[in-house]
Amino acid sequence: MKKRKIMALALSCLMVLSATGCGNGNNGNASSPAAGSSAAAGSQSSAQASASTPAADGAEITLWTYPIGKWGDAATVDGLIASFNAVHPEIKVTVEYLDYSNGDDQINTAIEGNQAPDIVLEGPERLVANWGARGLMVDLGDLWTDEAKAAIYDSVESACKSNDGVYYEYPLCMTAHTMAINRDIFEAAGALQYIDEANGTWTTENFIKAVKAVYDSGQANVGAVYCNGQGGDQGTRALVNNLYGGTFTNAEHTEYTANSEENIKALQLLLDMEGINYDASIVGGDEINMFCNGTLAMAFCWNVSQEKNNLDKINFDVLPMAFPSTGDPKLCGGIWGFGIFNNGDEAKIAAAKTFIDFMANDEKQAVESVKASNYWPVKDLGNIYEGDELMTEYAKFVPYMGDYYQVVGGWAEARTAWWNMLQQVGSGVDIKTAVEEFVTTSNAAAKGAQ
């Protein structure tokens, strides 16, 4: 059994998200109803609205789901659908399971062939900033009742709608992406003195000292700035932005700002550090494997699901950490929910809304739907992970969620430009030149998307 130091921390810490959370122009303020209230339990009026939507009888709909925790597991999803069919036997749901290596290609091919799925489970960067912005998605405004808006954190709500206020996503769960260290290696190297182990935080100065201590102990590969593709790029973005307080976009989410002096300084620091290598041969998933097998002493592509999914591979104590920073860390957040492709069939759209409403708003089902994700609810459902030490440990990072900037126009192009920029830096291209090229490319894409 792995060693683990667990803070006695209730999952109610998520409620401080309203003070420190995602801040999309509203400072992350949330209106959180008391547990047991009608809003906390689910939107009754939303359920009534879905039930009264015409032509749901006998509809057959398709759900395509990215691997959001156990939503990528057929046995788990079969159980969720069985619960839905116990209440709505008139609606048949078939499922297609996607992964992040080719899922976008599969959906784009389906769109081109006029065979897009009815429902997709993913995040705002795809549902809102990509397919929604292209006019391919259904407006879900009728699911966003007053009760739903009162229950769901404001910072989540703002990420689920376009700049002109159209809701293309109905959210289910969220998390804060972290990094992690091999505690055993750090302890042997005398590097634990440089971290706040209880809170999972460290300063940039102490990060530098810790990496040096681990490297000097004989661990040549301390960490990797992976850049063979976009997989796991939330980790490299958070690493660079946190080191000296840089930003990725402006607060209005209209342009990319990664060419700041703070980010240039961070990229230079990583390039100069012994033990940290720009690696153009791997993506985030490869880095995770290298961390789990002990090749790397730290992982920048991490969250609670990664630990849960790799428990059988890890024989050391994992210590999740916020990214090193000169102030409070600002972690990249993940928000996942449902969107509906507009396939022109009102009966299927109505059935799809009924499915979403049940999965996200039914008092009992919403808890099971969120728990299947291995993440946290986007509204107060109570302490759904009571007794789960691992989830309790990771819950302390959710209040560190920073701005959810992944809804900027041209996001797909910017992700490609980001890893290309990291490759350039690693190969010796002048950092300022490489970053300016990234910003020019990304802002051109953002302007073209407006």
Side-chain angles (χ1 to χ4, degrees), residues 13 29 56 77-78 117 156 185 219 229 252 262 274 287 369 406 449:
C13 76
N29 293 328
V77 176
D78 284 349
V156 175
I185 290 177
Q219 177 75 27
E252 296 77 22
E262 293 87 355
E274 291 184 310
E287 186 230 32
S369 299
Q406 296 97 302

Side-chain angles (χ1 to χ4, degrees), residues 171-190:
L172 176 67
C173 58
M174 65 182 187
T175 195
H177 297 294
T178 68
M179 61 175 295
I181 65 172
N182 182 321
R183 189 183 182 280
D184 296 359
I185 290 177
F186 271 64
E187 184 174 32

Side-chain angles (χ1 to χ4, degrees), residues 117-136:
D118 297 301
I119 307 173
V120 175
L121 176 62
E122 232 301 281
E125 56 267 38
R126 288 178 172 84
L127 299 179
V128 179
N130 184 355
W131 303 315
R134 291 162 57 188
L136 301 173

Side-chain angles (χ1 to χ4, degrees), residues 332-346:
C332 282
I335 298 171
W336 294 276
F338 301 98
I340 301 175
F341 274 101
N342 190 351
N343 290 323
D345 188 322
E346 292 301 321

Side-chain angles (χ1 to χ4, degrees), residues 172-211:
L172 176 67
C173 58
M174 65 182 187
T175 195
H177 297 294
T178 68
M179 61 175 295
I181 65 172
N182 182 321
R183 189 183 182 280
D184 296 359
I185 290 177
F186 271 64
E187 184 174 32
L192 290 180
Q193 63 180 306
Y194 301 118
I195 67 176
D196 181 342
E197 190 168 355
N199 292 313
T201 57
W202 47 359
T203 64
T204 298
E205 180 181 0
N206 280 335
F207 170 74
I208 296 169
K209 292 177 180 178
V211 170

